[in-house]
Amino acid sequence: MLSFKNGPVELAYLDKGEGEPIVLVHGFASSKEANWVHPRWVHTLTHAGRRVIALDMRGHGASTKLYAPAAYHAGAMADDVRALLDHLGIGKADVMGYSMGARVTAFLALAHPERVRSATLGGLGWHLVDGAGLPDAVAEAMEAPSLADVTDPQGRTFRAFADRTKSDLRALAACIRGSRQTLSTTEIGRLEPPVLIAIGTKDEVSGPGRPLADLIPGATLVDIPDRDHMLAVGDRAYKAAVLAFLTERP
């Protein structure tokens, strides 16, 4: 397993293929395998001639588990991605995040625009500005004794997913409570890299994409037809839109 340290946190990652680099940042309760390997994103991108780098975010997968909510600030997780680029000696890369990973990608693009060639925000729309990520009910679902004890529908969805990925539930509860930062409309308007926003038409988690895209000069908005937040991740239309975007971006 490949890994590196950013301060007290050890982060696992994969590095596949050759060509222009793209860094993949997974969503909440997921991992590099669940978000990017199993849905064949790594296969798709390496076969398109890209070097694909994907990390397990802090609290997830094989990376360090932390239990203080403050450790999961979106800015701290964005710095983990910056540190990975430094570790690999990569000056600039395309970055694609999904859901929580899209929030981290936006924070990275704002803090370090010189490191982000383009930013793809999957599964995240207006809630980047108005809405602090997943609600407390999801954190409470992680802390419930079992899935059978969870009554909130969204909480049940994410708890079932976390159980399938064999996640550290206490770390995930801390992550929910600590990663709920938003960006102001002014900050969104200052994003410099080319931006693609891709959201499932049945996604009830992300918030609408159009008002976010309208704030970002030159942003591209793509609908992922008939997909909700979970099923959009590996969709063929999503992959096609990303490949086209990466080909066309400066």
Side-chain angles (χ1 to χ4, degrees), residues 3-248:
S3 67
F4 75 105
K5 293 198 77 174
N6 185 26
V9 181
E10 185 168 5
L11 297 151
Y13 70 96
L14 63 80
D15 186 351
K16 303 285 187 182
E18 299 178 354
E20 287 189 279
I22 180 167
V23 178
L24 308 180
V25 188
H26 66 72
F28 172 75
S30 193
S31 66
K32 57 188 184 301
E33 286 81 16
N35 215 145
W36 307 119
V37 176
H38 300 323
R40 296 181 65 79
W41 268 108
V42 173
H43 172 87
T44 297
L45 290 165
T46 54
H47 278 252
R50 304 301 300 258
R51 178 185 178 185
V52 179
I53 300 143
L55 74 163
D56 283 335
M57 301 302 291
R58 54 177 64 196
H60 295 75
S63 292
T64 299
K65 309 304 186 295
L66 304 163
Y67 303 105
Y72 292 96
H73 191 287
M77 291 194 283
D79 191 66
D80 290 339
V81 181
R82 188 275 314 158
L84 176 57
L85 291 174
D86 287 352
H87 171 72
L88 295 174
I90 297 172
K92 196 170 192 176
D94 296 296
V95 183
M96 175 165 65
Y98 194 83
S99 194
M100 179 189 77
R103 190 177 300 271
V104 171
T105 298
F107 270 75
L108 177 67
L110 184 65
H112 298 285
E114 75 284 357
R115 309 301 298 273
V116 180
R117 187 176 299 280
S118 72
T120 295
L121 310 181
L124 183 63
W126 189 242
H127 286 172
L128 178 58
V129 177
D130 182 15
L134 295 170
D136 279 341
V138 176
E140 292 164 3
M142 299 299 146
E143 295 167 332
S146 71
L147 177 62
D149 296 292
V150 181
T151 57
D152 177 78
Q154 195 173 79
R156 282 186 62 84
T157 296
F158 279 96
R159 174 60 184 264
F161 183 64
D163 285 347
R164 286 199 302 274
T165 55
K166 297 180 171 58
S167 296
D168 185 318
L169 300 176
R170 190 159 66 96
L172 293 185
C175 181
I176 285 285
R177 295 191 170 106
S179 62
R180 307 181 75 194
Q181 295 75 36
T182 57
L183 294 178
S184 69
T185 56
T186 300
E187 289 171 322
I188 292 292
R190 293 208 311 265
L191 290 175
E192 295 180 13
V195 172
L196 170 67
I197 300 166
I199 299 172
T201 57
K202 295 182 178 179
D203 191 330
E204 297 181 353
V205 175
S206 66
R210 173 50 59 193
L212 180 65
D214 286 346
L215 290 175
I216 305 171
T220 301
L221 175 64
V222 170
D223 290 331
I224 306 170
D226 299 318
R227 297 296 192 186
D228 63 16
H229 194 71
M230 296 296 187
L231 293 178
V233 175
D235 186 82
R236 187 177 304 173
Y238 180 19
K239 291 174 183 172
V242 169
L243 291 176
F245 174 70
L246 293 174
T247 300
E248 295 165 3

